């Protein structure tokens, strides 16, 4: 049994698809659906949408006034490149080669470990765009952008270079009695209502979704004023003050849907991190807000044309390449992606930092 006969990019792609079908999709994919383009450059258009601008008055028999396309910005940048590889050792190659019976459980164990390695790389590739998307949906300090630094590479993207989004679509609660950790005195319902109204006034669109972490939601739940508001609606002596009841109360009162995001990942140093941080809420339209763009990696562009290389694409733009190295003789699996989200509907979103 030859490893090259069973360990192909197509086999890895099929195996990954089967495994991934049992996983919950990353939340960010719904707000930034994937799309593919050639090359590295990424360009998108943002503008002030929602509020109509009144027509200019005019005289009869006079030329019409030409209107500028105000509030339109074209953002252009290069997408970020990510790539890692793993090897099947010569020892594993020998172990597989010596097994005559493909149903031998020992062979299955070795092959399972091989496929796990490939899936590990693809899973890591999927973490990258979700980190990017969640950084955009959690602009701490009002800083709308993406920053990933590792392996002596620093990717920094500023989506609000003029600070206009921060000025009109971001609020941080200050004051000892107002921050949400002051459960006895804070007023989360008023703060969220004010934020929704501010977004409506700034852009003419009222958000329908609130995205937050579990810890941030618990700050709402722990608020004495929220508790009082819920208990006042119930005439029974005993009321179960549950997460579901609080969530339903906030959604009904404010006309929104609450998304609590708890997924985690491990960063480049092996530390567990939350995709969505605590103490901030992003208010969003009930639809996509941008796209997750993928470019063409060197593996897809070059290795796919090279004899002896085996290349497959999963998840729109993640390239899996399997090649054989010499001295030592190893089977090398490389997973790569060029990716960056666009954020066309950024101005329809509002961030509220609560601590």
């Amino acid at each position: 049994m030859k490893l090259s006969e069973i360990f192909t990019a197509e086999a890895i792609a099929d195996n990954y698809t089967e495994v991934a079908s049992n996983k919950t999709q990353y939340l960010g994919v719904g707000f930034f659906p994937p799309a593919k383009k050639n090359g590295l450059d990424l360009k998108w258009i943002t503008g002030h949408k929602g509020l109509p601008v009144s027509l200019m008055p005019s005289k009869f028999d006079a030329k019409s006034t030409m209107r500028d396309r105000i509030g339109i910005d074209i953002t252009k940048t290069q997408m970020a490149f990510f790539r890692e590889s793993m090897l099947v050792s010569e020892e594993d190659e020998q172990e597989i080669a010596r097994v005559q019976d493909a149903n031998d459980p020992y062979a299955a164990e070795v092959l399972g470990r091989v496929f796990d390695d490939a899936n590990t790389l693809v899973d890591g590739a999927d973490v990258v765009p979700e980190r990017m998307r969640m950084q955009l949906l959690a602009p701490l300090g009002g800083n709308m952008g993406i920053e990933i630094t590792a392996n002596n590479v620093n990717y920094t993207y500023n989506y609000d270079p003029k600070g206009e989004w921060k000025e009109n679509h971001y609020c941080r609660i200050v004051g000892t009695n107002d921050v949400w950790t002051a459960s006895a005195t804070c007023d989360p319902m008023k703060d969220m209502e004010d934020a929704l109204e501010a977004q409506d006034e700034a852009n003419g669109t009222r958000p329908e979704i609130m995205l937050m972490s579990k810890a941030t939601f618990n700050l709402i739940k722990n608020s004495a004023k929220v508790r009082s508001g819920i208990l006042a609606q119930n005439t029974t002596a005993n009321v179960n003050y549950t997460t579901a009841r609080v969530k339903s109360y906030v959604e009904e009162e404010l006309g929104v849907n609450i998304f609590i995001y708890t997924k985690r990942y491990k960063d480049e140093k092996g530390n567990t991190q939350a995709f969505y941080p605590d103490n901030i809420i992003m208010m969003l339209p009930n639809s996509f807000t941008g796209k997750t763009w993928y470019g063409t990696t060197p593996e897809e562009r070059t290795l796919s044309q090279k004899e002896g290389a085996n290349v497959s694409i999963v998840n729109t733009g993640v390239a899996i390449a399997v090649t054989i190295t010499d001295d030592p003789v190893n089977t090398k699996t490389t997973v790569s992606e060029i990716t960056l989200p666009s954020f066309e509907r950024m101005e329809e979103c509002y961030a509220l930092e609560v601590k």
Side-chain angles (χ1 to χ4, degrees):
M1 178 171 56
K2 293 183 180 180
L3 181 64
S4 60
E5 294 176 353
I6 54 176
F7 189 64
T8 65
E10 182 180 0
I12 295 171
D14 289 343
N15 181 68
Y16 177 77
T17 301
E18 180 179 353
V19 173
S21 66
N22 296 322
K23 297 182 180 179
T24 302
Q25 190 178 53
Y26 284 131
L27 182 62
V29 176
F31 295 116
F32 299 86
K36 185 73 179 292
K37 71 183 301 296
N38 292 323
L40 289 170
D41 292 337
L42 178 62
K43 182 170 66 175
W44 71 92
I45 297 175
T46 59
H48 300 281
K49 301 176 182 178
L51 292 178
V53 179
S54 175
L55 286 179
M56 289 285 189
S58 179
K59 296 179 180 179
F60 288 107
D61 300 322
K63 289 185 178 181
S64 59
T65 303
M66 298 300 296
R67 174 179 290 201
D68 294 329
R69 299 185 184 277
I70 61 172
I72 299 296
D73 293 315
I74 298 178
T75 302
K76 183 177 181 180
T77 189
Q78 275 198 347
M79 294 186 285
F81 179 45
F82 299 84
R83 177 169 59 191
E84 271 193 88
S85 298
M86 296 181 77
L87 294 176
V88 179
S89 69
E90 289 181 324
E91 183 178 357
D92 278 344
E93 298 261 13
Q94 294 282 21
E95 293 294 338
I96 294 173
R98 75 175 180 81
V99 177
Q100 300 299 319
D101 184 0
N103 295 321
D104 189 311
Y106 183 68
E109 179 184 350
V110 174
L111 292 177
R113 186 166 70 250
V114 169
F115 280 122
D116 281 345
D117 289 345
N119 287 333
T120 296
L121 290 175
V122 176
D123 286 343
D126 286 343
V127 166
V128 171
E130 186 69 352
R131 289 177 67 180
M132 292 179 167
R133 293 184 292 248
M134 289 304 134
Q135 285 189 38
L136 293 178
L137 296 181
L140 295 172
N143 300 315
M144 179 59 73
I146 293 170
E147 184 172 359
I148 296 179
T149 302
N151 199 30
N152 297 319
V153 179
N154 183 6
Y155 288 124
T156 302
Y157 299 92
N158 187 352
Y159 284 59
D160 185 31
K162 299 178 182 178
E164 294 175 347
W165 184 89
K166 180 178 180 179
E167 181 179 352
N168 297 293
H169 304 271
Y170 167 81
C171 177
R172 182 179 180 182
I173 298 173
V174 296
T176 305
N177 295 327
D178 298 324
V179 293
W180 288 10
T181 48
S183 57
T185 55
C186 69
D187 194 348
M189 294 298 291
K190 180 180 183 301
D191 294 334
M192 290 185 287
E193 178 68 24
D194 288 346
L196 290 168
E197 292 295 334
Q199 170 59 29
D200 199 357
E201 292 177 6
N203 193 252
T205 57
R206 187 180 177 89
E208 299 178 56
I209 290 174
M210 286 188 180
L211 175 62
M212 66 188 76
S213 71
K214 179 66 173 178
T216 304
F217 179 83
N218 285 337
L219 293 177
I220 300 173
K221 184 179 178 181
N222 294 336
S223 166
K225 291 187 178 181
V226 171
R227 178 186 289 269
S228 296
I230 292 175
L231 296 180
Q233 293 183 345
N234 294 272
T235 58
T236 57
N238 297 315
V239 177
N240 292 325
Y241 190 70
T242 63
T243 293
R245 189 176 295 274
V246 175
K247 183 173 181 289
S248 177
Y249 170 75
V250 175
E251 290 180 336
E252 183 177 347
E253 290 293 315
L254 299 181
V256 297
N257 291 314
I258 293 177
F259 288 9
I260 300 174
Y261 200 32
T262 59
K263 268 188 174 292
R264 297 179 179 273
Y265 69 96
K266 286 190 176 182
D267 63 17
E268 298 82 5
K269 297 180 180 179
N271 299 321
T272 300
Q273 305 284 355
F275 278 112
Y276 202 81
D278 298 334
N279 305 316
I280 189 168
I281 296 175
M282 184 60 117
M283 303 177 180
L284 303 148
N286 188 23
S287 182
F288 71 90
T289 55
K291 291 184 179 179
T292 303
W293 287 98
Y294 290 91
T296 306
T297 70
E299 282 70 25
E300 181 180 359
R301 183 183 64 251
T302 304
L303 284 183
S304 60
Q305 307 299 323
K306 184 178 180 181
E307 185 178 354
N310 201 310
V311 180
S312 287
I313 307 299
V314 298
N315 298 347
T316 304
V318 178
I320 305 172
V322 178
T323 56
I324 306 299
T325 64
D326 297 325
D327 193 21
V329 178
N330 294 139
T331 300
K332 180 182 178 183
T333 303
T334 300
V335 171
S336 60
E337 64 183 344
I338 294 174
T339 186
L340 192 70
S342 61
F343 202 176
E344 289 87 344
R345 300 181 69 182
M346 185 171 72
E347 291 192 5
E348 296 179 51
C349 304
Y350 195 99
L352 177 66
E353 200 161 352
V354 302
K355 179 183 176 182

